[in-house]
Amino acid sequence: MTRLYMKAKSVVLNTALGKKLRVMKQMNAYKEANAVKAAREAFPELSAAEIAKIAKDMMHEAKQYNVGFGEYIMYHFEKRDNEERRQFIPTHERVLYCERLNKPENQMIFDDKGKTYEVFKPYFKRDLTEVVGYAKESVQDFKTFVEAHPRFIIKPFNGGNGRGIKIVDASESDSFEALCQTLKKEYPSGFVAEELIVQSKELAEVHPASVNTMRIFTILFDDGRVEFLPFSWRVGRGGSCVDNGGSGGIFCALDENGVVVSTADEKGRIYEVHPDTGHPLIGFQVPRFEEAKALAAELAKVVPTNRYCGWDIALTDDGWVMQEGNWQGGIVAFQCPMQRGYRKEMDAIMKELGL
């Protein structure tokens, strides 16, 4: 996806028509067959009649409250009464909160990874380059990058939940030209290449294949004060190099001291220890936690018109570094492991901000 296309998409999505189209697309996904399939996969032990009952309830929640089928399962709505359910903020509503909190023009700062790097470069503490449309100049910059970092991580311009992200070892290609030809097939419009983050030993022991990041949500008030939403730490699974929940990662909710108090994945499954490494999760102390908070508070002030953001930061031996910023970061990262909705607190924040 080219930068021009991304910018045009951002403009369209922030118009009244764009918002209407977004809702229509979401509603189109709420089909009874999809609900039955999701219910059957989530509750294989139930009878056909019980599955039909849950699917009907899922359809009601989707059409009445825009609760996605995955969210229904993740938050165990089958066990909750209406009062409990309404405290959870589904994705559709979370986006609406973000649109009131943040200026629409900020979207490109965070969606365009090259722009993100330009604005937040001092906090990345690593090299990054873009290959845009395989233009001669950007390919030459990429060659210089590869010579300095033959093993690197590659990300598509557009995507989410870790899709399209992988680690590349240039030494496995016959030549630089061969490498470019291979990448062009997979990323026809280009990509972003980043120097690898080498995470600290303490976090690598939990799951070494992925960089296991903190997701810290900040709210910036008009007086310059920064407050935090509940803290989340994410851990990858299997051989995945990313820790995103959408790629099978585990969400870990932290207390005010950075200690893991609860966990869950996007299927609502709970883990006391990591299922692959056996490393304890409950009770794990995230190292240098106060430093992580300090970095997030500093990041929150870089773009003052962006009151809300979910910051993904990684711990190296030299301290915390920014991985990325999410201007509409999903609060599933803490609602899921906490198994508690955050509507009352979020509405209180909006009221204090006069929104």
Side-chain angles (χ1 to χ4, degrees):
M1 180 177 289
T2 65
R3 181 169 290 170
L4 182 61
Y5 179 84
M6 288 174 66
K7 188 172 182 179
K9 181 181 177 182
S10 173
V11 171
V12 170
L13 288 177
N14 282 291
T15 63
L17 175 60
K19 293 173 184 178
K20 184 177 181 179
L21 291 172
R22 184 179 66 207
V23 172
M24 289 174 61
K25 180 181 179 181
Q26 184 171 352
M27 292 305 296
N28 190 48
Y30 298 152
K31 296 179 179 179
E32 187 174 359
N34 293 342
V36 171
K37 181 181 178 182
R40 189 180 293 120
E41 290 176 353
F43 310 104
E45 73 283 0
L46 298 184
S47 67
E50 290 170 318
I51 290 294
K53 183 179 179 180
I54 287 180
K56 183 178 179 180
D57 190 35
M58 291 171 70
M59 290 291 293
H60 169 76
E61 285 291 321
K63 291 184 176 181
Q64 191 71 28
Y65 301 105
N66 270 296
V67 175
F69 298 154
E71 291 172 307
Y72 182 103
I73 293 164
M74 189 189 316
Y75 298 141
H76 294 288
F77 270 26
E78 79 282 1
K79 300 177 181 178
R80 302 186 187 279
D81 59 27
N82 188 63
E83 184 177 355
E84 277 189 292
R85 291 179 178 190
R86 301 290 72 82
Q87 290 308 306
F88 285 86
I89 301 173
T91 297
H92 173 71
E93 286 191 65
R94 182 256 303 166
V95 170
L96 298 180
Y97 277 110
C98 294
E99 287 176 345
R100 291 159 63 193
L101 286 160
N102 300 333
K103 295 290 186 183
E105 57 265 29
N106 294 337
Q107 181 175 356
M108 282 298 294
I109 297 175
F110 295 96
D111 285 358
D112 183 332
K113 291 178 173 61
K115 186 66 176 178
T116 306
Y117 186 65
E118 179 185 322
V119 173
F120 293 96
K121 186 174 181 179
Y123 304 99
F124 271 71
K125 300 180 181 178
R126 63 190 184 281
D127 290 338
L128 178 149
T129 192
E130 293 181 294
V131 174
V132 181
Y134 296 85
K136 184 176 180 180
E137 185 177 347
S138 64
V139 169
Q140 183 57 50
D141 289 343
F142 178 51
K143 185 175 183 180
T144 302
F145 172 89
V146 170
E147 288 170 352
H149 312 289
R151 193 165 181 270
F152 55 92
I153 193 163
I154 198 166
K155 302 178 180 180
F157 288 130
N158 187 44
N161 292 320
R163 291 187 294 270
I165 297 177
K166 66 177 184 179
I167 294 174
V168 174
D169 190 338
S171 66
E172 296 177 354
S173 296
D174 294 334
S175 64
F176 175 75
E177 290 71 24
L179 172 64
C180 287
Q181 287 301 314
T182 299
L183 294 176
K184 192 171 185 178
K185 293 177 182 178
E186 190 168 353
Y187 308 92
S189 60
F191 55 84
V192 174
E194 290 184 22
E195 180 182 353
L196 288 173
I197 295 173
V198 180
Q199 70 180 328
S200 70
K201 180 182 177 182
E202 300 99 316
L203 298 191
E205 285 177 347
V206 183
H207 185 253
S210 59
V211 176
N212 307 305
T213 59
M214 280 278 291
R215 166 67 68 85
I216 301 186
F217 296 91
T218 55
I219 301 290
L220 178 63
F221 289 82
D222 295 334
D223 60 5
R225 173 170 46 99
V226 175
E227 289 191 5
F228 303 104
L229 303 189
F231 300 101
S232 177
W233 175 52
R234 305 179 306 176
V235 189
R237 285 287 316 274
S240 177
C241 67
V242 296
D243 59 4
N244 305 69
S247 297
I250 302 170
F251 300 116
C252 302
L254 310 177
D255 66 12
E256 66 276 7
N257 298 310
V259 176
V260 177
V261 293
S262 58
T263 70
D265 63 13
E266 285 203 343
K267 301 296 184 182
R269 296 173 296 207
I270 297 170
Y271 304 88
E272 291 196 3
V273 301
H274 195 285
D276 301 321
T277 64
H279 195 288
L281 292 177
I282 301 297
F284 179 78
Q285 169 71 64
V286 174
R288 303 172 74 165
F289 180 66
E290 291 300 320
E291 294 176 37
K293 290 169 60 178
L295 173 59
E298 191 172 340
L299 290 169
K301 297 180 180 180
V302 174
V303 183
T305 56
N306 211 74
R307 293 188 177 101
Y308 169 100
C309 197
W311 306 99
D312 293 344
I313 61 175
L315 182 61
T316 71
D317 288 338
D318 296 323
W320 292 92
V321 300
M322 177 179 171
Q323 187 187 61
E324 65 180 20
N326 301 271
W327 83 300
Q328 292 185 345
I331 59 176
V332 61
F334 62 80
Q335 283 193 147
C336 180
M338 290 169 59
Q339 284 297 301
R340 182 175 75 79
Y342 205 71
R343 186 181 301 280
K344 287 181 181 178
E345 293 87 345
M346 201 67 193
D347 285 346
I349 289 170
M350 301 299 283
K351 183 177 180 181
E352 185 174 350
L353 286 166
L355 298 172

Short mmCIF file of all heavy atoms in Angstrom, two decimals, residues 50-86:
data_model
loop_
_atom_site.label_atom_id
_atom_site.label_comp_id
_atom_site.label_asym_id
_atom_site.label_seq_id
_atom_site.Cartn_x
_atom_site.Cartn_y
_atom_site.Cartn_z
N GLU A 50 -27.85 -26.17 21.94
CA GLU A 50 -27.16 -25.18 22.78
C GLU A 50 -26.33 -24.22 21.93
O GLU A 50 -26.26 -23.02 22.20
CB GLU A 50 -26.28 -25.90 23.80
CG GLU A 50 -27.07 -26.64 24.87
CD GLU A 50 -26.19 -27.54 25.73
OE1 GLU A 50 -25.31 -28.23 25.16
OE2 GLU A 50 -26.38 -27.54 26.97
N ILE A 51 -25.72 -24.76 20.88
CA ILE A 51 -24.94 -23.92 19.95
C ILE A 51 -25.86 -22.92 19.27
O ILE A 51 -25.54 -21.73 19.14
CB ILE A 51 -24.23 -24.80 18.89
CG1 ILE A 51 -23.09 -25.60 19.52
CG2 ILE A 51 -23.70 -23.92 17.75
CD1 ILE A 51 -21.94 -24.77 20.05
N ALA A 52 -27.02 -23.38 18.84
CA ALA A 52 -27.98 -22.49 18.17
C ALA A 52 -28.42 -21.37 19.10
O ALA A 52 -28.58 -20.22 18.67
CB ALA A 52 -29.18 -23.31 17.70
N LYS A 53 -28.60 -21.68 20.37
CA LYS A 53 -29.02 -20.68 21.35
C LYS A 53 -27.94 -19.62 21.54
O LYS A 53 -28.23 -18.41 21.57
CB LYS A 53 -29.34 -21.36 22.67
CG LYS A 53 -29.85 -20.40 23.74
CD LYS A 53 -30.18 -21.15 25.03
CE LYS A 53 -30.68 -20.17 26.12
NZ LYS A 53 -31.00 -20.90 27.38
N ILE A 54 -26.69 -20.06 21.66
CA ILE A 54 -25.58 -19.11 21.83
C ILE A 54 -25.41 -18.28 20.57
O ILE A 54 -25.18 -17.06 20.63
CB ILE A 54 -24.28 -19.86 22.19
CG1 ILE A 54 -24.35 -20.36 23.64
CG2 ILE A 54 -23.06 -18.94 22.01
CD1 ILE A 54 -23.13 -21.11 24.10
N ALA A 55 -25.51 -18.92 19.39
CA ALA A 55 -25.36 -18.19 18.13
C ALA A 55 -26.43 -17.11 18.01
O ALA A 55 -26.15 -15.99 17.54
CB ALA A 55 -25.43 -19.15 16.95
N LYS A 56 -27.63 -17.41 18.43
CA LYS A 56 -28.71 -16.42 18.40
C LYS A 56 -28.39 -15.25 19.32
O LYS A 56 -28.61 -14.09 18.96
CB LYS A 56 -30.03 -17.08 18.83
CG LYS A 56 -31.23 -16.14 18.77
CD LYS A 56 -32.50 -16.86 19.16
CE LYS A 56 -33.70 -15.91 19.11
NZ LYS A 56 -34.96 -16.60 19.51
N ASP A 57 -27.83 -15.56 20.48
CA ASP A 57 -27.44 -14.50 21.42
C ASP A 57 -26.30 -13.68 20.86
O ASP A 57 -26.26 -12.45 21.01
CB ASP A 57 -27.04 -15.14 22.76
CG ASP A 57 -26.86 -14.12 23.88
OD1 ASP A 57 -27.61 -13.11 23.89
OD2 ASP A 57 -25.97 -14.32 24.72
N MET A 58 -25.36 -14.31 20.19
CA MET A 58 -24.25 -13.61 19.56
C MET A 58 -24.76 -12.64 18.50
O MET A 58 -24.28 -11.50 18.39
CB MET A 58 -23.26 -14.61 18.95
CG MET A 58 -22.49 -15.43 19.97
SD MET A 58 -21.53 -16.79 19.23
CE MET A 58 -20.25 -15.89 18.38
N MET A 59 -25.73 -13.09 17.72
CA MET A 59 -26.32 -12.23 16.69
C MET A 59 -27.00 -11.02 17.32
O MET A 59 -26.87 -9.89 16.82
CB MET A 59 -27.33 -13.03 15.86
CG MET A 59 -26.71 -14.09 14.96
SD MET A 59 -25.77 -13.37 13.59
CE MET A 59 -27.10 -12.61 12.66
N HIS A 60 -27.69 -11.24 18.42
CA HIS A 60 -28.36 -10.14 19.11
C HIS A 60 -27.34 -9.11 19.59
O HIS A 60 -27.52 -7.89 19.40
CB HIS A 60 -29.16 -10.67 20.30
CG HIS A 60 -29.66 -9.60 21.22
ND1 HIS A 60 -30.74 -8.79 20.91
CD2 HIS A 60 -29.20 -9.18 22.43
CE1 HIS A 60 -30.93 -7.92 21.90
NE2 HIS A 60 -30.03 -8.14 22.83
N GLU A 61 -26.27 -9.58 20.22
CA GLU A 61 -25.23 -8.67 20.73
C GLU A 61 -24.57 -7.91 19.58
O GLU A 61 -24.25 -6.72 19.72
CB GLU A 61 -24.17 -9.47 21.51
CG GLU A 61 -24.61 -9.92 22.88
CD GLU A 61 -24.76 -8.76 23.85
OE1 GLU A 61 -23.93 -7.83 23.81
OE2 GLU A 61 -25.71 -8.78 24.65
N ALA A 62 -24.35 -8.59 18.47
CA ALA A 62 -23.69 -7.96 17.32
C ALA A 62 -24.57 -6.86 16.72
O ALA A 62 -24.11 -5.73 16.48
CB ALA A 62 -23.37 -9.01 16.27
N LYS A 63 -25.82 -7.18 16.48
CA LYS A 63 -26.71 -6.22 15.81
C LYS A 63 -27.16 -5.10 16.74
O LYS A 63 -27.33 -3.95 16.30
CB LYS A 63 -27.92 -6.97 15.26
CG LYS A 63 -27.56 -7.88 14.09
CD LYS A 63 -28.81 -8.53 13.49
CE LYS A 63 -28.43 -9.35 12.26
NZ LYS A 63 -29.62 -10.00 11.64
N GLN A 64 -27.33 -5.41 18.02
CA GLN A 64 -27.83 -4.41 18.96
C GLN A 64 -26.72 -3.54 19.53
O GLN A 64 -26.89 -2.34 19.75
CB GLN A 64 -28.58 -5.11 20.10
CG GLN A 64 -29.38 -4.18 21.00
CD GLN A 64 -30.60 -3.62 20.31
OE1 GLN A 64 -31.15 -4.25 19.40
NE2 GLN A 64 -31.04 -2.43 20.70
N TYR A 65 -25.54 -4.16 19.76
CA TYR A 65 -24.48 -3.44 20.48
C TYR A 65 -23.13 -3.46 19.76
O TYR A 65 -22.13 -3.02 20.32
CB TYR A 65 -24.31 -4.04 21.88
CG TYR A 65 -25.56 -3.97 22.71
CD1 TYR A 65 -26.33 -5.10 22.96
CD2 TYR A 65 -26.00 -2.76 23.26
CE1 TYR A 65 -27.48 -5.05 23.73
CE2 TYR A 65 -27.15 -2.68 24.04
CZ TYR A 65 -27.89 -3.83 24.26
OH TYR A 65 -29.03 -3.77 25.02
N ASN A 66 -23.07 -4.02 18.54
CA ASN A 66 -21.82 -4.08 17.78
C ASN A 66 -20.72 -4.85 18.49
O ASN A 66 -19.54 -4.51 18.41
CB ASN A 66 -21.32 -2.68 17.42
CG ASN A 66 -21.87 -2.19 16.09
OD1 ASN A 66 -21.58 -2.79 15.05
ND2 ASN A 66 -22.68 -1.16 16.13
N VAL A 67 -21.10 -5.87 19.23
CA VAL A 67 -20.13 -6.76 19.87
C VAL A 67 -19.75 -7.85 18.88
O VAL A 67 -20.60 -8.63 18.44
CB VAL A 67 -20.71 -7.40 21.15
CG1 VAL A 67 -19.72 -8.41 21.75
CG2 VAL A 67 -21.04 -6.32 22.17
N GLY A 68 -18.48 -7.90 18.49
CA GLY A 68 -18.03 -8.91 17.54
C GLY A 68 -18.14 -10.31 18.12
O GLY A 68 -18.12 -10.51 19.33
N PHE A 69 -18.23 -11.31 17.24
CA PHE A 69 -18.35 -12.69 17.69
C PHE A 69 -17.12 -13.09 18.53
O PHE A 69 -17.25 -13.78 19.54
CB PHE A 69 -18.48 -13.64 16.50
CG PHE A 69 -19.71 -13.39 15.66
CD1 PHE A 69 -19.74 -13.74 14.32
CD2 PHE A 69 -20.85 -12.81 16.21
CE1 PHE A 69 -20.87 -13.52 13.55
CE2 PHE A 69 -21.99 -12.58 15.45
CZ PHE A 69 -21.99 -12.93 14.10
N GLY A 70 -15.94 -12.65 18.08
CA GLY A 70 -14.73 -12.95 18.83
C GLY A 70 -14.74 -12.31 20.21
O GLY A 70 -14.28 -12.91 21.19
N GLU A 71 -15.28 -11.10 20.29
CA GLU A 71 -15.36 -10.41 21.58
C GLU A 71 -16.35 -11.11 22.51
O GLU A 71 -16.12 -11.21 23.72
CB GLU A 71 -15.76 -8.95 21.36
CG GLU A 71 -14.67 -8.14 20.68
CD GLU A 71 -15.13 -6.74 20.30
OE1 GLU A 71 -16.17 -6.61 19.63
OE2 GLU A 71 -14.43 -5.78 20.68
N TYR A 72 -17.45 -11.57 21.96
CA TYR A 72 -18.44 -12.32 22.74
C TYR A 72 -17.76 -13.50 23.43
O TYR A 72 -17.96 -13.75 24.63
CB TYR A 72 -19.56 -12.79 21.82
CG TYR A 72 -20.69 -13.53 22.49
CD1 TYR A 72 -21.91 -12.90 22.73
CD2 TYR A 72 -20.55 -14.87 22.87
CE1 TYR A 72 -22.96 -13.58 23.34
CE2 TYR A 72 -21.59 -15.56 23.48
CZ TYR A 72 -22.79 -14.92 23.71
OH TYR A 72 -23.83 -15.60 24.31
N ILE A 73 -16.96 -14.24 22.65
CA ILE A 73 -16.27 -15.42 23.17
C ILE A 73 -15.16 -15.03 24.14
O ILE A 73 -15.01 -15.60 25.23
CB ILE A 73 -15.72 -16.24 22.00
CG1 ILE A 73 -16.88 -16.83 21.18
CG2 ILE A 73 -14.79 -17.35 22.48
CD1 ILE A 73 -16.49 -17.35 19.82
N MET A 74 -14.38 -14.04 23.76
CA MET A 74 -13.24 -13.59 24.56
C MET A 74 -13.66 -13.14 25.95
O MET A 74 -12.99 -13.41 26.95
CB MET A 74 -12.56 -12.44 23.82
CG MET A 74 -11.25 -11.98 24.39
SD MET A 74 -10.70 -10.46 23.56
CE MET A 74 -11.02 -10.81 21.84
N TYR A 75 -14.79 -12.42 26.02
CA TYR A 75 -15.25 -11.87 27.29
C TYR A 75 -16.26 -12.78 27.99
O TYR A 75 -16.86 -12.38 28.99
CB TYR A 75 -15.88 -10.49 27.06
CG TYR A 75 -14.91 -9.47 26.50
CD1 TYR A 75 -15.33 -8.56 25.52
CD2 TYR A 75 -13.59 -9.40 26.93
CE1 TYR A 75 -14.45 -7.60 25.01
CE2 TYR A 75 -12.71 -8.46 26.41
CZ TYR A 75 -13.14 -7.57 25.46
OH TYR A 75 -12.27 -6.62 24.95
N HIS A 76 -16.45 -13.99 27.46
CA HIS A 76 -17.35 -14.98 28.08
C HIS A 76 -18.74 -14.41 28.33
O HIS A 76 -19.31 -14.55 29.40
CB HIS A 76 -16.73 -15.50 29.39
CG HIS A 76 -15.47 -16.27 29.19
ND1 HIS A 76 -15.45 -17.54 28.64
CD2 HIS A 76 -14.17 -15.94 29.44
CE1 HIS A 76 -14.19 -17.96 28.57
NE2 HIS A 76 -13.40 -17.02 29.04
N PHE A 77 -19.30 -13.80 27.28
CA PHE A 77 -20.64 -13.22 27.42
C PHE A 77 -21.70 -14.29 27.70
O PHE A 77 -22.77 -13.96 28.23
CB PHE A 77 -21.00 -12.45 26.15
CG PHE A 77 -20.59 -11.00 26.19
CD1 PHE A 77 -19.54 -10.57 26.98
CD2 PHE A 77 -21.27 -10.06 25.43
CE1 PHE A 77 -19.17 -9.23 27.02
CE2 PHE A 77 -20.92 -8.71 25.47
CZ PHE A 77 -19.85 -8.30 26.26
N GLU A 78 -21.43 -15.54 27.34
CA GLU A 78 -22.43 -16.58 27.59
C GLU A 78 -22.69 -16.76 29.09
O GLU A 78 -23.72 -17.32 29.48
CB GLU A 78 -21.98 -17.91 26.95
CG GLU A 78 -20.93 -18.70 27.71
CD GLU A 78 -19.50 -18.18 27.56
OE1 GLU A 78 -19.32 -17.17 26.85
OE2 GLU A 78 -18.58 -18.80 28.12
N LYS A 79 -21.77 -16.26 29.91
CA LYS A 79 -21.91 -16.40 31.37
C LYS A 79 -22.34 -15.10 32.04
O LYS A 79 -22.51 -15.06 33.27
CB LYS A 79 -20.57 -16.84 31.98
CG LYS A 79 -20.03 -18.16 31.48
CD LYS A 79 -18.68 -18.45 32.11
CE LYS A 79 -18.10 -19.77 31.59
NZ LYS A 79 -16.75 -20.03 32.18
N ARG A 80 -22.50 -14.02 31.28
CA ARG A 80 -22.72 -12.70 31.88
C ARG A 80 -24.14 -12.20 31.64
O ARG A 80 -24.74 -12.44 30.60
CB ARG A 80 -21.72 -11.69 31.31
CG ARG A 80 -20.26 -12.08 31.53
CD ARG A 80 -19.32 -10.97 31.08
NE ARG A 80 -17.94 -11.40 31.15
CZ ARG A 80 -17.21 -11.42 32.26
NH1 ARG A 80 -17.74 -11.00 33.40
NH2 ARG A 80 -15.95 -11.82 32.23
N ASP A 81 -24.64 -11.43 32.63
CA ASP A 81 -25.94 -10.80 32.45
C ASP A 81 -25.75 -9.49 31.68
O ASP A 81 -24.62 -9.08 31.40
CB ASP A 81 -26.65 -10.55 33.78
CG ASP A 81 -25.86 -9.66 34.73
OD1 ASP A 81 -25.05 -8.83 34.26
OD2 ASP A 81 -26.06 -9.77 35.96
N ASN A 82 -26.85 -8.85 31.33
CA ASN A 82 -26.79 -7.66 30.49
C ASN A 82 -26.00 -6.53 31.15
O ASN A 82 -25.25 -5.80 30.48
CB ASN A 82 -28.19 -7.17 30.16
CG ASN A 82 -28.19 -6.05 29.14
OD1 ASN A 82 -27.76 -6.23 28.00
ND2 ASN A 82 -28.64 -4.87 29.55
N GLU A 83 -26.15 -6.36 32.46
CA GLU A 83 -25.44 -5.28 33.16
C GLU A 83 -23.93 -5.45 33.05
O GLU A 83 -23.20 -4.49 32.80
CB GLU A 83 -25.87 -5.25 34.63
CG GLU A 83 -25.26 -4.09 35.41
CD GLU A 83 -25.74 -4.04 36.85
OE1 GLU A 83 -26.62 -4.84 37.22
OE2 GLU A 83 -25.24 -3.19 37.62
N GLU A 84 -23.46 -6.66 33.24
CA GLU A 84 -22.02 -6.93 33.12
C GLU A 84 -21.56 -6.71 31.68
O GLU A 84 -20.50 -6.13 31.44
CB GLU A 84 -21.73 -8.37 33.52
CG GLU A 84 -21.57 -8.62 34.99
CD GLU A 84 -21.08 -10.03 35.26
OE1 GLU A 84 -21.83 -10.99 35.00
OE2 GLU A 84 -19.92 -10.18 35.69
N ARG A 85 -22.32 -7.20 30.73
CA ARG A 85 -21.93 -7.10 29.32
C ARG A 85 -21.74 -5.65 28.90
O ARG A 85 -20.81 -5.32 28.17
CB ARG A 85 -23.00 -7.76 28.44
CG ARG A 85 -23.09 -9.26 28.56
CD ARG A 85 -24.18 -9.81 27.65
NE ARG A 85 -24.27 -11.27 27.70
CZ ARG A 85 -24.99 -12.00 26.88
NH1 ARG A 85 -25.71 -11.41 25.91
NH2 ARG A 85 -25.03 -13.32 26.98
N ARG A 86 -22.62 -4.78 29.35
CA ARG A 86 -22.60 -3.40 28.90
C ARG A 86 -21.40 -2.62 29.43
O ARG A 86 -21.12 -1.52 28.98
CB ARG A 86 -23.90 -2.67 29.28
CG ARG A 86 -25.16 -3.29 28.69
CD ARG A 86 -25.28 -3.11 27.18
NE ARG A 86 -24.38 -3.89 26.36
CZ ARG A 86 -24.59 -5.17 26.01
NH1 ARG A 86 -25.64 -5.82 26.43
NH2 ARG A 86 -23.73 -5.77 25.22
#
